[in-house]
Amino acid sequence: MALQLFLNGLVTGLLLALPALALTLVFGILRFANFAVGAFLTLGAYAAYTANVVLGLPLPIAAAFAAATVALASLIADALVFERLRARGSITLLVASMGVSLVVENICRFIFGNAARSFDLAVARPIRWNGLRINHEQIITAGVVVIALVLLHLLITASPLGRAMRAVADNAALAAVRGVERRTIARITFALTGALIGLAGVLAGLDRAIDPLMGWNYQIPIFAAAILGGLGSPIGAVAGALLIGVAEEMSALVLPVSFRQIVSFGVILLLLLFRANGLFGAKAIRK
């Protein structure tokens, strides 16, 4: 049972890695924690549901549609809210992102209602291997996340866009002197992180029923993962997500399943008390 929980925890951690990475990218470049990450995750799940169930499109196309939808929604939120408040500081932006979260969540509730929904997928038997039960959804999640992480790593470390993003994260004023506009990089960052969150919403929809509060169920673990790894550190966000995923699943050995988010709350509390910079010391994206 412990080995099964560990495997489930790794997959859960991979699912958390994408939104946690999106959260830490926004923090590293724009210096604020985007509280709307959970609501945008829900939006991604509903966008994929619309494409898959309502329009009858295959799930891979529905996933691409969801990523594009949330990327566009993130750009709209930036243009209407965040860009106008950027000069007022990180606390103002954090509070504004809470408002954006409520708006997006209630738009989803208004359009789709409160009933739980799911994707149109063929039922498949899980794979049994050495006593472990591996669902096809877990294989899909692991494969998609690993590919996304590799591509994002290459983008940040080996492309002109990645160098521009690191320059803005390091010193926005100096980057502007070199011709790199923070406004442009901010928009690209929101589009990129929106696509990651939208993709995570699809993977979350494979793991559980889709409802307006789905993103809230991931909100605390996402923040715990990003804080554990060190806000602003992409590698830390992924490592933190894996640790939180495994810790939450393994907690089922000693806690009721409904209480497993206590682990994330506990991690946040302990980090704020003893190591606020996280395991990776809040290394910026430039690192």
Side-chain angles (χ1 to χ4, degrees):
M1 182 178 178
L3 190 57
Q4 180 69 61
L5 291 173
F6 181 78
L7 174 65
N8 295 344
L10 287 178
V11 177
T12 300
L14 287 172
L15 196 159
L16 293 174
L18 293 185
L21 186 55
L23 176 64
T24 208
L25 284 175
V26 170
F27 185 88
I29 295 174
L30 302 175
R31 297 294 185 264
F32 85 97
N34 186 4
F35 194 82
V37 60
F40 280 126
L41 187 147
T42 302
L43 177 62
Y46 275 118
Y49 169 83
T50 301
N52 176 240
V53 177
V54 179
L55 301 180
L57 298 176
L59 190 60
I61 298 178
F65 176 76
T69 298
V70 181
L72 178 60
S74 298
L75 287 173
I76 293 173
D78 179 48
L80 296 181
V81 181
F82 300 131
E83 185 176 358
R84 300 169 185 266
L85 300 174
R86 200 160 287 147
R88 299 194 181 183
S90 58
I91 300 299
T92 300
L93 288 169
L94 172 62
V95 175
S97 71
M98 294 179 182
V100 171
S101 175
L102 291 174
V103 170
V104 172
E105 177 186 311
N106 283 284
I107 287 175
C108 292
R109 179 178 284 109
F110 177 77
I111 295 174
F112 297 99
N114 290 317
R117 302 171 186 269
S118 60
F119 298 130
D120 182 15
L121 297 173
V123 178
R125 291 180 178 273
I127 299 172
R128 303 256 179 202
W129 180 73
N130 284 350
L132 296 176
R133 182 176 181 271
I134 306 173
N135 296 326
H136 290 268
E137 292 82 3
Q138 292 178 316
I139 297 174
I140 293 172
T141 296
V144 169
V145 172
V146 169
I147 292 172
L149 292 178
V150 170
L151 292 177
L152 185 62
H153 175 74
L154 293 175
L155 175 68
I156 292 176
T157 60
S159 72
L161 174 59
R163 288 191 290 271
M165 294 172 70
R166 297 198 305 273
V168 172
D170 185 17
N171 190 320
L174 182 59
V177 173
R178 299 294 299 271
V180 180
E181 293 188 8
R182 188 186 185 194
R183 181 182 183 185
T184 301
I185 295 301
R187 290 179 175 176
I188 293 173
T189 300
F190 273 110
L192 178 61
T193 56
L196 290 176
I197 296 170
L199 190 58
V202 180
L203 299 177
L206 290 175
D207 183 59
R208 63 190 305 153
I210 303 170
D211 63 74
L213 292 177
M214 183 181 75
W216 175 251
N217 294 320
Y218 290 97
Q219 187 91 348
I220 301 303
I222 289 169
F223 268 80
I227 294 172
L228 176 61
L231 276 170
S233 171
I235 294 176
V238 176
L242 291 173
L243 289 173
I244 290 295
V246 171
E248 282 199 347
E249 291 293 338
M250 296 296 289
S251 69
L253 293 173
V254 294
L255 294 173
V257 175
S258 58
F259 291 146
R260 69 180 189 175
Q261 280 204 356
I262 290 176
V263 175
S264 296
F265 277 109
V267 167
I268 293 176
L269 178 61
L270 291 174
L271 286 170
L272 293 177
L273 288 174
F274 301 108
R275 191 176 175 85
N277 287 337
L279 298 179
F280 285 76
K283 297 177 181 179
I285 185 176
R286 62 186 182 275
K287 301 297 184 181

